[in-house]
Amino acid sequence: MASREYRSFRDFYPFYLTEHSRSGTRRLHFAGTLLVLLTLAYSLATGRWGFLALLPVFGYGFAWVAHFAVERNRPATFQYPLYSLAGDFRMFADMARGRVPF
């Protein structure tokens, strides 16, 4: 499949949501992003910087399990790394607000 060139995150985000069509995928992304945010806050509050090494494990680990085991597609981060990172946080916020279903 040919890759598409997205000129803005606004154009990319609808595609990102189609790559997360199953609730299990979205839930695992949400859990991973929540763990990233909590771990970051803990590290900043306590000065225990070693915990920052867990950020990619939580962020990418949960997401990649979701894509390979639940969604059965290739994570968009392989092709669109920065937009995908932004998409993950946007989807997290949209889920927390009830704009994207769990």
Side-chain angles (χ1 to χ4, degrees):
M1 181 160 69
S3 66
R4 178 169 173 202
E5 184 76 27
Y6 291 98
R7 297 198 177 274
S8 70
F9 177 73
R10 184 180 195 158
D11 292 337
F12 172 79
Y13 189 59
F15 163 73
Y16 183 85
L17 291 176
T18 66
E19 296 292 295
H20 300 81
S21 65
R22 295 176 181 242
S23 63
T25 302
R26 292 188 303 273
R27 289 174 184 173
L28 282 167
H29 270 267
F30 189 90
T33 302
L34 181 60
L35 284 171
V36 163
L37 294 172
L38 291 173
T39 302
L40 180 61
Y42 176 78
S43 293
L44 292 172
T46 64
R48 298 185 71 186
W49 309 117
F51 281 93
L52 294 176
L54 293 172
L55 297 183
V57 174
F58 293 147
Y60 290 116
F62 278 72
W64 291 356
V65 166
H67 284 285
F68 293 125
V70 178
E71 197 76 33
R72 304 223 187 254
N73 64 7
R74 187 171 180 254
T77 193
F78 293 155
Q79 196 167 6
Y80 309 102
L82 296 178
Y83 281 161
S84 292
L85 180 62
D88 195 45
F89 284 102
R90 169 75 184 274
M91 187 173 69
F92 177 86
D94 285 348
M95 289 175 74
R97 291 183 196 123
R99 294 179 181 167
V100 170
F102 273 88

